[in-house]
Amino acid sequence: MQYYASHYLWHAGQDKLFCMQRIGLEVSGHTWVSMEPLEEEVRNTQWLGGLIILAASAPELRKDETFQEFRARTASAVVGDQPLYAFHVSFFDLQKMAFTDRSRLVRL
């Protein structure tokens, strides 16, 4: 199991934004297995900061699309109990909760 933590976690299947979360990914398929509140430093957890997204497939970042528009579009693509994958959003503006021109999705 691989563990990651960040300031925010957005779960596309639930269309819900969580604060200070730790997620567990299955090593061989890199699929999401678990999540829990991050209340203290936890051994073997990589801190990424910013935003992690759990989605059914690699979401596309569209130019000038707001985070709210991205959420609506990406959440509608999750069907049933499909496996979810984790993506770290680099250069995400936490104060505005918005993508920037430099934002990129990196699959974990």
Side-chain angles (χ1 to χ4, degrees):
M1 188 84 79
Q2 292 178 312
Y3 295 97
Y4 299 92
S6 66
H7 292 98
Y8 290 97
L9 170 75
W10 179 65
H11 189 299
Q14 298 176 13
D15 190 14
K16 190 169 180 182
L17 188 65
F18 297 89
C19 185
M20 298 298 288
Q21 294 291 307
R22 176 180 185 245
I23 62 167
L25 301 180
E26 191 254 350
V27 175
S28 64
H30 297 277
T31 54
W32 170 70
V33 175
S34 65
M35 67 185 258
E36 62 187 1
L38 182 69
E39 297 173 348
E40 61 187 1
E41 281 191 42
V42 182
R43 192 178 281 197
N44 298 322
T45 299
Q46 183 177 350
W47 175 257
L48 296 174
L51 174 68
I52 293 176
I53 292 172
L54 295 176
S57 61
E60 174 191 2
L61 288 181
R62 296 181 180 169
K63 186 169 176 61
D64 299 324
E65 182 176 49
T66 67
F67 182 48
Q68 290 74 22
E69 292 167 339
F70 170 87
R71 285 174 59 174
R73 180 175 52 81
T74 305
S76 68
V78 179
V79 180
D81 290 335
Q82 335 177 224
L84 299 179
Y85 302 93
F87 302 88
H88 178 245
V89 182
S90 60
F91 301 105
F92 186 78
D93 187 330
L94 290 175
Q95 291 181 332
K96 295 180 182 176
M97 290 304 287
F99 297 115
T100 67
D101 290 342
R102 296 175 59 197
S103 291
R104 301 288 179 269
L105 291 173
V106 178
R107 184 170 169 185
L108 302 177

